Amino acid sequence: MLKEKLKKERKRRLIAFCVSFFLPGVGQLTRKRIGSGFFFILVTVLSLLFLKRIWKGWSPAVISLFIGYSLLWVLNLLDAYKGPVYHKPPCRRACPADIDVPGYIELIRRGRYSEALELIALKAPLPGVLGYVCLAPCEEKCSRTGMEGSVLIRHLKLKAAVKGELAFEVPQQKKHHRVAVIGSGPAGLTAAHYLAEKGYKVTIFERQEKLGGMLRYGIPSYRLPREMLDLEIDRITRDRVEVKTGVKIGEDIPFSEVEKDFDAVIVAPGDALSRTLNLEGIDLKGVHYALEFLEKANRGEKVPIGEKVVVIGGGNVAVDCAKTSLRLGARSVKMVALETRDLSSPDRLPASDREIEEVEEEGVEILGSLGPRKIIGENGRVKALETIKCTRVYDEKGRFAPQFDDKAETPVIEADSIIIAIGQKPDISFLPEDVRFLKNFRTTRKGLFFVPGSLMVAEAVGRGRKAAEQVDRYFKSPLRRFLDQLFSFELYIKPARLGRPEPADPAAVRKEIPEERIKDFRTIEKPLSDEEAMNEARRCLQCPFRFRV
Ligand SMILES: Cc1cc2nc3c(=O)[nH]c(=O)nc-3n(C[C@H](O)[C@H](O)[C@H](O)COP(=O)(O)OP(=O)(O)OC[C@H]3O[C@@H](n4cnc5c(N)ncnc54)[C@H](O)[C@@H]3O)c2cc1C
Ligand code: SF4
């Protein structure tokens, strides 16, 4: 439906453009843009009157008037087509995927969930995934944050994904260019979607047996139900994208072969390797690495972790390791992190407030300002973790430069398992050695585009879409690119009426109680009810149409 609206909107804009070509300003009037319409009419009339007064053949004054007016005439054409541009609200500016937040919130307010979903999918083809797991930087910046609390933007997205219906078009006319996408995380899936939408023949190569990347093998199902993930992946790929799973590029197929067989290649391998620690005892039995540990748990494999688990790390991945350990049967789980538990400190834990709150509710103890000194073993197995006091994590310039106090007394923590969750790094050993990474996802090799790993799903989605745009540009002539740019426009969903903003508290998010949720991997959060979603949507101030920035 929204696609239809977009088509109609383009038609109306073209009509306004044509009318203003012959009658400057009148095209704007047909679009009820009285101010700018009368402005261009007035300028045209005054220019003609002035020309009549000074006309004595092609004098310098006439030529100057002619040039000046021509520039205004071009401006009039652009204005007639492009229309007004509203500023981006703080939520949208913070969104790495550039989703039109007030637009979809307004559609939800009108009860048009499917259109809201379509609007989100113009920028992000995984709305349900984002609804469940997005770290929501938009909410931190929302104008309501300083009042009663941010609009629950992520939950509204989830509501649209659960209640709305969405199907992606299968383009009938295919372009002859073939594009390979290596990696099927959110970046690869998003790139594949937008390229398929434009009619390219897309093939995804994925080393795992199923698509999804970290969405499937990293993020546990208590945060992202697999039904939603499967639904959204199926929507992107079915009849649109060729999928080759269980194929590791560099091992099963050499990269050179992919480069030879395709006109362009997008490499989106994420950060697949766990960082390790140079620590005494690191090779003992019972030491696990976060990504491998979570992957096994997400596959439903048995991971023998014992009763006492220590997780080293203070980020969201460490929190997931701690929560997963509880669900696998551990009785005592502790997190040891260099950063402090004091969330107001600049040296605070990197995990989000929501994750810290949840993991503590579930009974995990967070031991901040501590680093690992050594792992103590017995009979080749982990027995305990010896710790060291961390006095500072970042230096004055904000660089990671931890300092330790060797003398301070610190606990020795008993453990059956220790999970190292101190970060991830990419594995791009399959790429040719001479490749260099340039701006805009380009590389020094023709037709090769690279999407680096992202800290959050929304960022990966934004990057995947931009990489697809770059591939599309790569196949187009400079003139075509220029025209595309010139005739692009934004579809604004304007609120029918802007009432006075009333104070209103955000809805209370419903979750399983901690004692219940640690029993298994069922999803913790529940979507908003219809009424809650409606009230929440009404809380949005519709900043682009209310404030001028
Ligand atoms: C445990 C965990 C929890 C997280 N929680 C959140 C969260 O709550 N919210 C959030 O926003 N973000 C979260 N993230 C971050 C988020 O998952 C990543 O930002 C995102 O997945 C990055 O997407 P990507 O497509 O770049 O990479 P990935 O998702 O890593 O996908 C890359 C894909 O490429 C494949 N691949 C790599 N090399 C090859 C090869 N040679 N051949 C074929 N295939 C290959 C991999 O198998 C993988 O499927 C979490 C990450 C982890 C690890
Ligand atoms: S009030 Fe609405 S438009 Fe304004 S920042 Fe919050 S969500 Fe965005």
Side-chain angles (χ1 to χ4, degrees), residues 162-182:
V162 172
K163 191 133 197 232
E165 281 176 19
L166 178 67
F168 292 141
E169 273 173 36
V170 181
Q172 296 308 312
Q173 275 205 317
K174 291 256 184 200
K175 293 191 168 78
H176 66 273
H177 293 119
R178 300 187 66 210
V179 184
V181 176
I182 300 176

Side-chain angles (χ1 to χ4, degrees), residues 156 504-505 507 529-540:
L156 285 172
D505 288 330
S529 68
D530 289 2
E531 198 190 336
E532 284 168 339
M534 202 55 77
N535 287 338
E536 204 52 43
R538 284 197 196 106
R539 293 184 65 237
C540 175

Side-chain angles (χ1 to χ4, degrees), residues 4 22 68 86 148 150-151 154 180 253 258 300-301 323 345 355 360 364 424 449 510:
E4 281 304 307
F22 298 106
Y86 295 94
E148 313 84 3
S150 161
V151 174
R154 178 174 68 84
I253 301 181
V258 181
E301 288 176 23
K323 286 179 172 176
S345 157
E355 288 298 309
E360 288 186 331
V364 172
Q424 295 81 243
F449 297 80
R510 277 170 295 129

Side-chain angles (χ1 to χ4, degrees), residues 54-78:
I54 62 170
W55 177 256
K56 286 187 192 111
W58 284 100
S59 63
V62 170
I63 292 173
S64 307
L65 179 68
F66 184 76
I67 293 173
Y69 180 74
S70 300
L71 291 175
L72 269 166
W73 179 76
V74 172
L75 202 68
N76 143 70
L77 289 181
L78 283 178

Side-chain angles (χ1 to χ4, degrees), residues 89-91 101-102 105 142-144 151 153 540-544:
C91 52
V101 177
I105 292 184
C142 171
S143 307
R144 278 263 187 198
V151 174
I153 301 171
C540 175
L541 300 171
Q542 291 293 328
C543 300

Side-chain angles (χ1 to χ4, degrees), residues 427-442:
D427 175 8
I428 47 170
S429 52
F430 61 93
L431 289 177
E433 268 178 21
D434 64 346
V435 67
R436 296 283 169 274
F437 306 113
L438 308 174
K439 272 202 302 193
N440 293 329
F441 310 99
R442 290 174 175 258

